[in-house]
Amino acid sequence: MMRVQIAKIRRSGVRTAWEIADDGSIIRRLHTLCLTFPKRFIDTAEIGTVWKVDGQIKTSTFKAGDHEITERYLKVKKAEFLRPSGELLVRWIASNIEGVGDVKASRLVRQFPDLNEKVRSKDVEALSSVAGISIDSVQLIIKKWPSEGFYAALEWLQESKLPLSLAQSLARVYENPVKTLSEDPLILTAFGVSLKDTLKLIKRTKLNVPTSRILAAVAEQVAVKYCFETGSTVIPEQELLTLADRICSTNNFESQDTVEAALKHGSLLPVDGGFQSLGAAIQERTVGRFLTKCNERSKGSGSLLAEWENDLTDERIEAALQSFEGSLPFRMTAEQREAVMGAVKSPVAIISGGAGTGKTTILLALLSIYDQLSTGIAQYQLALSGRAAQRMAESTGREAQTIAKFISDHLREKKPQVEDHVLLVIDEASMVDLTSAYKIVGLLPYATRIIMVGDVSQLPPVGGGLIFHAAMDSTLPVFELTQVKRQGDQSGIHQLATAIRSGRIDRKLLNSASGDTRYTPESSYDAILDEFKKTSNPADCIVLTPTRKGPLGVNEINKLIQAQFDEFEPQELHYKDPFMDWIPWITSSGTKLRLGDRIMVTRNDYDADIRNGDLGEITEVYDSPKDGAYGVMQIDGKLVDITDDTIDSIDLGYAITIHKSQGSQWPKCILMLPNYAGRMTDQSLLYTAVTRPSEELVLMGDSNLIRSAITIGNSASTRMNNLLSSLPR
C-alpha cells in the first residue's frame, strides 16, 4: 500500500494526491497521481487528509489545447485513514486554512510540538504569537481542527467496516462517539446505517445491548420503512407487529413486547390509528401548529410591516379586485371572486380546484390586490419542480423558484435573511411532502401569509405526508373551485378528466366529437413513432407513461424516438473518463446523448441553475473538452454548459413518467397505457396525465388500465397521518 495526501478535489470527484515517503516528504513523480475512492470513503477524503491506499494504477494521456497530458489513475480498492503529523500536518494546515501557507504552517508546527493540545484548549494568545498567524487565522484553525472524537470515531468505523463519512456527524453530536456507540450501537440507525448491519455488528463485537432496546429499534425501523413505502406517517398496530415479527424471528428475538419496548424507549409515540416515529411526530406538529398560529394571528401583529392589515376592509378588497378585473378580457365567475375575497381576508388560504378551473386567474388577482393594498409585503412563489416554477413565473410575471432552492438558499452559510412579513404562495401544493413543509415553516417568520394552491385529485407527494389534504379537512379557510374555464364544456379532454376525477368512465369519452381526445389500442413502436411525428415541433409533444421500465416505459420509448434520427448520424456527446479517456457518455438509463436530442434534467444543480424536471435540448457537442465543457444544452430558454457537474444530471426527454409531468403542460400529450402497469396506475396518476395537454390527448394501449385505475381510486386515501390533530378542527 502507498501513503498519499489529498492535494485537490476535481469537480468530477477525482482526487489528485501527493505520494508520501516515510519521513512525510513528497515523492516527486513525472505524472500527476489521481485517485477514485469507494463511496464509503468519499466524504472523508478531503484536501489535506492522509491515507494508505491500494489498487491498480493505469496511465491515461489526453490533449488540453496544444498540450499532451499524461496522468496516473489509481482506483482505490483498500483505504486506511491516517492522522497527519509533522510535514503532513503542515500541508493539512496550508490546504485548509485560508491565509496560512506552507511557511506559516511550518512555523506553527515547529514552535508547538504540542500543537494539537494548544488548538483544543483554544489558546488564541499563544497561537497568534507565531509570526504571520493572525487572530482570524487562529480562530479558523480552531474551528476546522478535527476533534479527538472524530479521529476515534474514524478508527472505530474503519474497524467496523462502516462508512467513514459518519465520523464527522457522530463527532458533532457526541463528545465521545466511541463510548456512546459501544454503550448503544443502535444509535447508528439514526445516522443511516441499516438495522441489519447494526445487528450484525452487535453480534460480531459481542456488545451487551438490552433486548428491549433492540426491540425498540426494530419497531422504529419497521415504522420508518413502512411509512417510506406507503407515504403514511402513521403505522397501524397490527402492521407494526406483523412486520416486526419477521425481523425478530430471523434474529431469535420474541416480538410480543415490541410495542411496549418502543414506548418505553420513546422510539414510537401512540396516536390515533397507530404509532408514529418521533421524527414524523415532531415534523407534523411543527407544521400543523405553524399553520394554526399563522391563521390565528391578529391583524397587524408580528411585524411593523404588517400594519397595513389593520385597514383591510371588504370595501378596499372589492375595489382592488374590480381594478384587477378591468385588465381581464373576460369576467370572473362568482365562485372565483368569492375565493379571492376570502383568501385576501385570511392569513392562511387553501385553494383547491381541478384542471382549468381558473386557479392561475385567482392567483393573479390575489397578487394584484396585495400589490395595491399591502405596504410592500415580500412575496415568494414556490413550486415543487423546476418546470412548474418556470410556468408559475410565466403565468404571474413574477419570480418563482423551487421549494428545494428556497430551502437551500436560506440554509446555506451566508444565507439571506427572510423578511419579517412575507406572502408565501405554494403551487401544486398537493405534492408537497411533510419533510419539505417542515423545512419551509422553519424558515418563515410569525407574520407570514400563506396561499396553498392545488388539486387533491392529482398525485399525492412522492415523499411522506399529506399536508394539502389534511389542510382541506381542517377548518382552515378552504376555497374549492368547480367551474372549468380552460377548455369549453365540449372539450373531450375536459369531459374525460371530469369523469376520471369523479370516479366514472364512459368509453365514448376516449374519442371525443371535438377530436381533441383520441384512443387507439395500437401501441406498436411504428404506431408510437407515427403519432409522435405528426407534431411539427417536437417540443410541443411529450410521451407520458406510468413507468420507466418495460416495452412501453420511459427508457424504451426514449430510445425508440431517438433512433428515428439515426440516419442523420447526429454527433454523440463524449466526456473525459479518468481511466478510458475520451469516450461516449452513457446515461443512467443506458442511452447515449446526441446533438439535437430532447433532454430532461433529473436532479437539482443550483450552481448551473437547472432543476429536476426541466426540459431542453442539446444544442452543441464538442470534439474535445473546451474549458472543461463537453457541449451546450438549452434548458427552458437558457444555455448551460455540459460539464462533469451537469452531465450526470440529464437524460433523454422525449418520454417522461407521469410523476415528472405534474405542474407542466404541452399542446399535445401521448399517453401510454401499458397492460403491465396496473399496480402502479391509480386514479390520481391517470387524472394527472389527462390534464397535462392543452390541445390534444392521444391514448395508446390497453384501455382496461383506465377502468383499473379508477377502481383502485386515489392512493392518497390509503395514507395515514396525524397532521389534523395539530390543525384547527
Side-chain angles (χ1 to χ4, degrees), residues 141-312:
I141 291 170
I142 292 170
K143 180 181 178 182
K144 290 194 172 185
W145 200 261
S147 66
E148 280 299 322
F150 169 75
Y151 283 128
L154 265 180
E155 291 163 1
W156 192 87
L157 291 167
Q158 280 189 147
E159 292 174 5
S160 304
K161 295 180 170 43
L162 293 171
L164 301 191
S165 57
L166 297 175
Q168 201 68 265
S169 300
L170 289 166
R172 278 197 294 264
V173 177
Y174 304 110
E175 185 175 344
N176 190 335
V178 173
K179 181 176 182 293
T180 302
L181 291 172
S182 298
E183 293 173 351
D184 188 2
L186 288 158
I187 287 171
L188 286 167
T189 60
F191 290 85
V193 179
S194 72
L195 179 62
K196 182 179 179 181
D197 287 343
T198 305
L199 291 177
K200 283 182 179 178
L201 175 68
I202 292 171
K203 187 176 181 179
R204 186 171 65 249
T205 55
K206 297 180 180 179
L207 291 170
N208 184 24
V209 181
T211 300
S212 66
R213 176 68 183 97
I214 293 176
L215 290 177
V218 168
E220 183 176 26
Q221 187 89 352
V222 162
V224 169
K225 184 178 180 183
Y226 173 86
C227 292
F228 175 79
E229 292 175 349
T230 64
S232 298
T233 61
V234 173
I235 182 171
E237 183 171 1
Q238 191 54 53
E239 287 284 352
L240 174 64
L241 292 172
T242 301
L243 295 171
D245 187 59
R246 294 176 188 172
I247 298 176
C248 291
S249 61
T250 59
N251 289 278
N252 299 319
F253 294 118
E254 296 294 334
S255 63
Q256 64 264 27
D257 298 325
T258 303
V259 171
E260 182 182 346
L263 297 178
K264 173 185 174 182
H265 289 274
S267 58
L268 294 182
L269 299 176
V271 296
D272 288 344
F275 300 92
Q276 269 192 319
S277 68
L278 183 61
I282 290 173
Q283 289 185 359
E284 281 195 338
R285 289 178 189 178
T286 300
V287 172
R289 288 172 180 174
F290 183 83
L291 290 174
T292 301
K293 188 178 176 183
C294 287
N295 186 59
E296 294 174 351
R297 180 177 62 87
S298 57
K299 285 184 178 182
S301 64
S303 170
L304 292 175
L305 297 173
E307 289 185 353
W308 66 275
E309 294 173 329
N310 293 316
D311 299 323
L312 199 58

Side-chain angles (χ1 to χ4, degrees), residues 56-69:
Q56 186 178 2
I57 294 180
K58 292 184 178 181
T59 301
S60 175
T61 302
F62 61 95
K63 281 193 172 183
D66 297 329
H67 301 283
E68 189 172 80
I69 297 175

Side-chain angles (χ1 to χ4, degrees), residues 385-388 390 599-602 609-616 635-636 638:
S385 71
R387 192 167 175 84
Q390 183 197 17
I599 55 173
M600 166 171 265
V601 177
T602 56
D609 194 25
I610 56 176
R611 310 283 180 266
N612 189 354
D614 286 352
L615 290 170
I635 302 293
D636 291 331
K638 60 180 177 288

Side-chain angles (χ1 to χ4, degrees), residues 30 43 152 159 191 202-203 264 298 328 344 435 461 466 483 496 512 515 533 566 618 631 633 649 657 676 679 686 693:
L30 180 61
D43 291 337
E159 292 174 5
F191 290 85
I202 292 171
K203 187 176 181 179
K264 173 185 174 182
S298 57
L328 297 176
V344 174
T435 301
L466 283 175
Q483 188 173 343
L496 180 59
S512 64
K533 289 177 180 178
D566 283 353
I618 294 180
M633 53 187 170
S649 304
T657 61
Y676 58 86
R679 286 189 175 183
L686 185 62

Side-chain angles (χ1 to χ4, degrees), residues 640-656:
V640 179
D641 284 336
I642 302 174
T643 65
D644 284 327
D645 290 334
T646 59
I647 197 169
D648 199 33
S649 304
I650 54 177
D651 209 333
L652 289 176
Y654 299 105
I656 64 174

Side-chain angles (χ1 to χ4, degrees), residues 10 30-32 34 58-64 66-73 575-583 625:
R10 293 177 177 173
L30 180 61
H31 305 304
T32 301
C34 302
K58 292 184 178 181
T59 301
S60 175
T61 302
F62 61 95
K63 281 193 172 183
D66 297 329
H67 301 283
E68 189 172 80
I69 297 175
T70 299
E71 294 181 330
R72 294 180 301 145
Y73 282 86
Y575 80 111
K576 178 67 179 64
D577 183 85
F579 293 99
M580 302 177 68
D581 208 16
W582 186 242
I583 61 173

